[in-house]
């Protein structure tokens, strides 16, 4: 059966059309739906409009593909926004289905389901999904045992702390303190220290992996299930935080919509590895989007 899954997060909106577990199409656009939400508590009209334009293209592709089932999940930004009803109405009008504004726990479970499919690594796993507005921490082997969502993400931390270009030492220190407090809370609640393998999901992690691998261009096949050491993550994070947005844009693996927030995303990953005492992370290109598709197949 052919199905269509849409993941609408704080920074990006992504589409996966699959049939019997095989990809038919994958798409991603940076729409920054969560721009300013941490400060205002509302989705900006311009952000909703950017998302609407991307969703129109996805809706047309879904219709043309003949997908029998469609599920759209919206995550951190639309959970936090006081005007989330406006966003839901827009989605119904464009896509014809109700978007599910899922809880952090459900987001974590879907991310885990997508991440561990086909993974050849020692369990139990600590799966971390570093998004734009939140980061999910999930522990399990064949299924989820513990999960928690924390309000630390690359967009949220950039908007809250990293205002200069490049960020100052004081700004980085403030972000480190904020992230470390959240990470320590999460690891304690999910028993993350007792896991064998750290698996990292989403664009911040895969971009850091691409930089650590020194790829000449972004290559999903080489990034998927690549293992990156803690030293390599620390080096990439330092380089990114020391660079301007213009410098980051010159990196061949960098998506233009990620350049201004990748420093915060890398910092979150580095701190997770330090606090969980992990010497390496396995990067996964499969995440919540795959979990959404599995849930309706």
């Amino acid at each position: 059966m052919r199905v269509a899954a849409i993941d609408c997060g704080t920074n990006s909106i992504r589409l996966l059309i699959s049939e019997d577990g095989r990809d038919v199409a994958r798409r991603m656009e940076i729409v920054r739906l969560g721009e300013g939400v941490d400060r205002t508590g509302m989705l900006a009209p311009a952000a909703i409009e950017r998302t609407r334009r991307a969703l129109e293209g996805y809706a047309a592709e879904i219709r043309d593909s003949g997908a029998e089932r469609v599920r759209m999940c919206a995550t951190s930004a639309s959970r936090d926004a006081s005007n989330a009803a406006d966003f839901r109405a827009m989605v119904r009008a464009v896509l014809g289905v109700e978007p599910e504004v899922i809880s952090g726990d459900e987001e974590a479970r879907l991310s885990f389901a997508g991440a561990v499919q086909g993974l050849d690594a020692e369990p139990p796993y600590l799966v971390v999904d570093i998004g734009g507005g939140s980061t999910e921490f999930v522990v399990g082997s064949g299924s989820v045992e513990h999960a928690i969502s924390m309000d630390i993400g690359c967009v949220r931390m950039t908007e809250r702390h990293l205002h200069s270009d490049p960020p100052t030492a004081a700004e980085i220190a403030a972000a480190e303190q904020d992230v470390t407090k959240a990470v320590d809370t999460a690891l304690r609640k999910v028993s993350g220290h007792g896991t064998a393998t750290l698996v990292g999901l989403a664009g911040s992690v895969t971009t850091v992996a691409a930089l650590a691998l020194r790829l000449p261009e972004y290559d999903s096949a080489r990034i998927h299930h690549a293992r990156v050491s803690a030293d390599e993550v620390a080096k990439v994070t330092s380089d990114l935080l020391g660079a301007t947005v213009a410098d980051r844009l010159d990196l061949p693996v960098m998506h233009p919509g990620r350049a201004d927030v990748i420093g915060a995303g890398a910092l979150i990953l580095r701190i997770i590895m330090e606090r969980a005492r992990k010497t390496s992370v396995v990067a996964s290109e499969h995440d919540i989007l795959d979990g959404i598709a599995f849930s309706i197949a």
Side-chain angles (χ1 to χ4, degrees), residues 216-296:
E217 60 184 5
Y218 193 94
D219 185 339
S220 295
R222 291 189 62 186
I223 294 166
H224 187 49
H225 291 173
R227 190 178 286 272
V228 182
S229 73
D231 287 344
E232 289 170 323
V233 170
K235 173 66 164 60
V236 170
T237 301
S238 177
D239 289 346
L240 289 170
L241 288 171
T244 65
V245 173
D247 291 335
R248 298 173 191 170
L249 283 167
D250 283 339
L251 298 171
V253 300
M254 188 65 61
H255 189 289
R258 207 174 298 285
D260 61 332
V261 296
I262 186 60
L267 181 66
I268 294 167
L269 176 60
R270 192 205 78 197
I271 291 173
I272 290 171
M273 296 184 75
E274 289 173 353
R275 305 306 288 182
R277 298 188 292 276
K278 300 301 183 189
T279 58
S280 65
V281 58
V282 176
S284 177
E285 287 278 358
H286 293 176
D287 51 28
I288 186 174
L289 187 61
D290 302 81
I292 296 168
F294 294 151
S295 74
I296 57 174

Side-chain angles (χ1 to χ4, degrees), residues 174-202:
E176 287 176 332
Q177 183 176 20
D178 202 355
V179 171
T180 299
K181 182 179 178 181
V183 169
D184 284 348
T185 298
L187 292 174
R188 185 172 62 253
K189 292 197 172 184
V190 302
S191 303
H193 293 101
T195 52
T197 302
L198 174 65
V199 184
L201 316 183

Side-chain angles (χ1 to χ4, degrees), residues 28-108:
M28 189 271 284
E29 291 194 39
I30 301 288
V31 294
R32 199 64 60 87
L33 177 63
E35 184 175 21
V37 166
D38 189 58
R39 177 177 51 83
T40 67
M42 296 183 64
L43 298 172
I48 294 177
E49 174 60 18
R50 290 194 297 269
T51 307
R52 185 193 65 78
R53 290 197 299 268
L55 196 57
E56 281 187 337
Y58 289 176
E61 188 162 358
I62 290 168
R63 286 193 299 271
D64 291 344
S65 76
E68 299 174 55
R69 294 182 184 172
V70 180
R71 185 182 184 191
M72 175 174 172
C73 293
T75 53
S76 178
S78 45
R79 276 199 305 268
D80 299 341
S82 61
N83 61 337
D86 295 340
F87 168 76
R88 292 195 298 271
M90 178 276 288
V91 172
R92 286 195 301 271
V94 173
L95 193 61
V97 301
E98 183 75 23
E100 300 176 48
V101 181
I102 59 175
S103 68
D105 282 348
E106 175 68 2
E107 185 174 354

